[in-house]
Amino acid sequence: MKHFLKETDFARSELPKLFALAHELKRSRGKRSAPRPLAGQTWAMIFSKSSTRTRVSFEVGIHELGGNPLFLNKNDIQLGRGETIEDTAKVLSRFVHGLIVRTYDHADVETLASAGSVPVINALTDFLHPCQIYADAFTMAERWAKGATGKALVDALRGRKIAFLGDTACNMANSWILGANLFGMKISLAGPKGFAPGAEIDALLGKEGFAPKAAYQFTTDPMEAVRGADVVYTDVWVSMGKEEETKERIRVMSPYAVTGKVFAAAKPDALFMHCLPAHAGEEVMPEVLASPRSIIFDEAENRLHMQKAILASLAAARRA
Ligand code: CP
Ligand code: NVA
């Protein structure tokens, strides 16, 4: 069974086909010829955290592919009252054709995948957010290889540098470290001392065949990280589940705000990206969000097209 729990669940060799599909689904959206590979299928979405982009893009995307999205707030199903993840996976597998899960502990999506018998998509855990990284990579590639599709899109990423500032121990930082290595990009992260990427991502990098020492650079100096960067990326300083640490996080992360000065220290044509939601005036200044080189809303839109490609690929892999 093919799942999408982490970036490396698609091999490098599968990326040109996936990116071509996302490109084609974007182009054919709303046309009568648009493919409907999920016709007759229902995909359940189990969410334990808030969401705007992920929820809406998956619900709309499944519908556009001919399927039926079934949104399940964790607390509305017995999982929220202690039914096991294993039993939930086994029962839902008898009803639906796939599961999309947003939760805290990454091990929970792995358990759902191993206990169930349908494809599982990670819609964000405390550890990784792979759907976001694939949509982000597609968005950058569209800019760097205008009009291209397939292999040329994927090749446009190779050798580019991404600078990630702020909470360098969060799910987005981890996911970008793994994603950058998969796409052949370089990544420098700048954040407070106590927030260097942790043992969990190093262990995963090793497991996936990347030497952690060569896979990324970590510095406490934001100017060093952005030097020569093609993309400056940030995320909220207080991820979902970390609310009680808000005061301390804002205190230690303030030197890592993406200000106009920091953005100007990257390459002159560097792009600004953010997975959103953004807190203007905290991790990024309003002038950077509003810059013509800020592509945050293209990035958000591409969640739809890329996730439709992922859904269609997993459904096709299951039929094969
Ligand atoms: N970027 C992202 O995943 O946004 P949501 O939390 O709104 O889904
Ligand atoms: N790091 C953020 C990402 C939100 C899309 C969080 O986990 O809340």
Side-chain angles (χ1 to χ4, degrees):
M1 183 68 54
K2 190 168 177 70
H3 303 288
F4 186 54
L5 309 186
K6 56 184 185 300
E7 285 68 9
T8 41
D9 284 344
F10 281 95
R12 264 186 188 163
S13 57
E14 294 177 294
L15 297 175
K17 198 173 162 197
L18 185 76
F19 277 47
L21 183 56
H23 178 86
E24 177 52 24
L25 288 167
K26 184 168 183 173
R27 201 194 54 78
S28 65
R29 186 175 182 219
K31 296 201 174 128
R32 226 181 310 161
S33 60
R36 293 164 64 83
L38 300 193
Q41 298 196 2
T42 295
W43 283 62
M45 302 169 56
I46 309 171
F47 277 48
S48 306
K49 291 175 173 174
S50 304
S51 173
T52 300
R53 281 142 289 269
T54 310
R55 176 179 175 171
V56 176
S57 55
F58 268 116
E59 287 205 37
V60 170
I62 293 165
H63 176 75
E64 288 181 0
L65 293 175
N68 173 45
L70 177 66
F71 186 80
L72 303 168
N73 183 312
K74 184 197 170 190
N75 292 324
D76 293 341
I77 58 175
Q78 298 288 6
L79 184 64
R81 295 181 61 248
E83 185 166 18
T84 65
I85 296 169
E86 286 87 345
D87 284 2
T88 304
K90 285 180 184 148
V91 170
L92 290 180
S93 292
R94 303 283 178 116
F95 299 134
V96 303
H97 299 81
L99 300 173
I100 296 159
V101 188
R102 169 168 285 204
T103 192
Y104 294 86
D105 191 348
H106 189 75
D108 289 351
V109 293
E110 291 175 336
T111 305
L112 273 165
S114 57
S117 51
V118 293
V120 176
I121 296 178
N122 174 3
L124 181 147
T125 62
D126 288 347
F127 183 45
L128 296 173
H129 193 8
C131 292
Q132 181 75 52
I133 270 55
Y134 271 47
D136 290 349
F138 181 75
T139 311
M140 295 170 191
E142 273 185 325
R143 286 276 165 152
W144 294 329
K146 283 206 171 65
T149 185
K151 187 171 178 301
L153 272 179
V154 178
D155 286 349
L157 301 168
R158 189 161 291 280
R160 297 277 187 166
K161 176 181 171 179
I162 176 163
F164 189 104
L165 268 55
D167 182 359
T168 40
C170 77
N171 43 14
M172 281 305 306
N174 290 334
S175 257
W176 254 118
I177 291 173
L178 190 56
N181 282 277
L182 177 70
F183 299 129
M185 299 174 75
K186 290 175 268 192
I187 182 161
S188 281
L189 305 100
K193 237 194 208 124
F195 286 82
E200 201 180 357
I201 186 65
D202 284 356
L204 179 57
L205 285 165
K207 214 172 120 202
E208 298 298 313
F210 304 114
K213 276 216 162 63
Y216 64 90
Q217 285 183 319
F218 174 75
T219 169
T220 53
D221 177 1
M223 287 303 190
E224 186 189 325
V226 298
R227 201 177 307 129
D230 296 285
V231 179
V232 178
Y233 203 108
T234 193
D235 183 14
V236 293
W237 290 338
V238 185
S239 283
M240 292 179 277
K242 303 282 184 201
E243 289 78 7
E244 75 281 7
E245 299 171 15
T246 299
K247 240 174 112 184
E248 177 61 7
R249 283 173 167 264
I250 291 176
R251 191 182 69 78
V252 297
M253 290 182 194
S254 339
Y256 301 94
V258 182
T259 60
K261 188 175 161 213
V262 168
F263 190 36
K267 278 190 179 165
D269 57 351
L271 303 170
F272 173 75
M273 298 180 79
H274 190 312
C275 55
L276 304 179
H279 292 79
E282 274 186 28
E283 75 274 5
V284 55
M285 294 304 136
E287 67 268 27
V288 177
L289 282 169
S291 154
R293 287 185 282 118
S294 161
I295 55 169
I296 53 175
F297 297 113
D298 292 336
E299 183 185 358
E301 180 195 322
N302 281 332
R303 298 290 305 278
L304 173 68
H305 311 302
M306 181 49 83
Q307 285 160 198
K308 282 169 74 177
I310 293 167
L311 286 160
S313 301
L314 295 189
R318 196 180 174 208
R319 277 194 296 269

